[in-house]
Amino acid sequence: MKPDARNPNLDQLDTDFLYHLGLDTSMDLEGMFGDVKYVCMGGSSVRAEDFANKAAADLGFEVPEGGAQPIGKTERCSLFKVGPVISVSHGMGMPSMLIFLHELAKLLDYAGAQDVKFIRIGTSGGVGVEPGTVVVAEEGLNGKLEPAFEQVELGETHTYPTGLDRQLAEEILEARGEIRAQLGKTMGTDDFYEGQGRLDGALKPRYTEADKMAFLKRAHEAGVRNIEMESTAFAAFCLRAGIPAAVVCTTLLNRLQGDQVTSTPEQLAQFSDNAQRLVLQYIRGQLEKAAA
């Protein structure tokens, strides 16, 4: 985290309890996390554990018999560490993700970790791309197709830009190999149903199929290639903190062709694996370069 972004109020705390992680500054955080270089965040605890075990196998790090074990509390998220890689779940949506971004950034600051990159790995709805395509975000756009994240603080709305690290995005894309991947803008919304213009939610929508298609086509023309529920908050936080960040999400469907996810469980597992493999290929290349 860049020094001018760090909260000076933290210096007044005898112990900072990172409540949702189940960690605090009375622990040897430097010994536990001082060597971290990559924080990889995904929505579910299952995916976080799966990615940790894939990272161990792919990058050549040992894990206990039975697989990677979570560190700290597991009620709200699961955090794993494999070599210089943290794999952690962030739940669904921006409010949940922001909690963990704050606590992870503090954790790594207290640990003295240097040159850390944050990468969100997830699933999304594609816009004009084939299901299974991995979109590496150039920028996060909100539900109004603006490069901005709005947050209410003490009753006032504040707007933060949502730029992402272009060099990091291009380096990740270069590691794609046989994986179908491309750059594109990622739209982050506050909801899976009406916030993303779906017609299959519980409530009667205020818009029609024609309205939905007109908006999705406008989003596509603006450069949007996928839609999820975290990118703008993630991008805004990391930009404020001075943390190089990337959003790498595989697409489960093409929203220009429908709202429902109809792929088989086997196809969905492969689609999800595409984004994880791309990030692991990038990390492996960076570690090999550093060791050369």
Side-chain angles (χ1 to χ4, degrees), residues 121-188:
I121 308 170
T123 57
S124 61
V127 181
V129 298
E130 185 178 343
T133 302
V134 179
V135 177
V136 182
E138 300 173 288
E139 186 176 42
L141 301 185
N142 63 22
K144 295 184 282 188
L145 301 180
E146 300 168 340
F149 171 65
E150 294 182 345
Q151 181 161 278
V152 177
E153 303 165 12
L154 301 181
E156 296 182 353
T157 300
H158 297 270
T159 303
Y160 299 100
T162 54
L164 289 159
D165 191 289
R166 179 75 184 198
Q167 180 179 340
L168 177 57
E170 291 178 349
E171 288 175 351
I172 292 173
L173 187 65
E174 287 172 4
R176 65 187 179 275
E178 298 300 316
I179 299 170
R180 186 169 62 251
Q182 67 175 80
L183 293 174
K185 295 181 182 181
T186 296
M187 188 171 86

Side-chain angles (χ1 to χ4, degrees), residues 39 41 90 97 101 118-124 134-141 162-166 168-170 172-173 182-188 226-236 238 244-250 275 278-279:
V39 174
M41 307 181 73
H90 59 63
M97 161 159 273
L101 284 170
F118 279 31
I119 304 174
R120 167 167 145 68
I121 308 170
T123 57
S124 61
V134 179
V135 177
V136 182
E138 300 173 288
E139 186 176 42
L141 301 185
T162 54
L164 289 159
D165 191 289
R166 179 75 184 198
L168 177 57
E170 291 178 349
I172 292 173
L173 187 65
Q182 67 175 80
L183 293 174
K185 295 181 182 181
T186 296
M187 188 171 86
N226 63 332
I227 306 172
E228 42 85 278
M229 294 182 289
E230 292 86 14
S231 59
T232 50
F234 178 80
C238 292
V247 178
V248 181
C249 290
T250 195
L278 175 54
V279 172

Side-chain angles (χ1 to χ4, degrees), residues 97-117:
M97 161 159 273
L98 281 170
I99 291 169
F100 295 111
L101 284 170
H102 277 279
E103 295 189 10
L104 286 162
K106 291 198 294 179
L107 169 68
L108 295 172
D109 183 61
Y110 291 134
Q114 300 292 319
D115 303 319
V116 182
K117 296 177 175 63

Side-chain angles (χ1 to χ4, degrees), residues 203-282:
L203 300 173
K204 181 180 179 180
R206 298 167 61 91
Y207 47 84
T208 65
E209 171 73 17
D211 295 332
K212 178 194 79 172
M213 293 305 298
F215 176 79
L216 291 175
K217 289 175 181 177
R218 182 157 62 90
H220 186 268
E221 290 170 1
V224 172
R225 293 297 176 267
N226 63 332
I227 306 172
E228 42 85 278
M229 294 182 289
E230 292 86 14
S231 59
T232 50
F234 178 80
F237 180 93
C238 292
L239 188 60
R240 288 177 66 193
I243 298 171
V247 178
V248 181
C249 290
T250 195
T251 58
L252 302 183
L253 74 163
N254 180 358
R255 288 293 312 285
L256 295 180
Q257 297 177 352
D259 295 342
Q260 294 264 318
V261 179
T262 58
S263 301
T264 66
E266 292 76 19
Q267 287 174 320
L268 293 177
Q270 181 59 58
F271 293 166
S272 181
D273 184 62
N274 287 346
Q276 292 186 347
R277 282 194 298 120
L278 175 54
V279 172
L280 283 175
Q281 287 171 191
Y282 159 73

Side-chain angles (χ1 to χ4, degrees), residues 1-19:
M1 190 187 314
K2 61 185 180 181
D4 62 347
R6 188 181 186 277
N7 181 5
N9 295 304
L10 300 178
D11 296 332
Q12 309 304 314
L13 299 176
D14 293 328
T15 302
D16 190 356
F17 295 94
L18 308 176
Y19 173 73

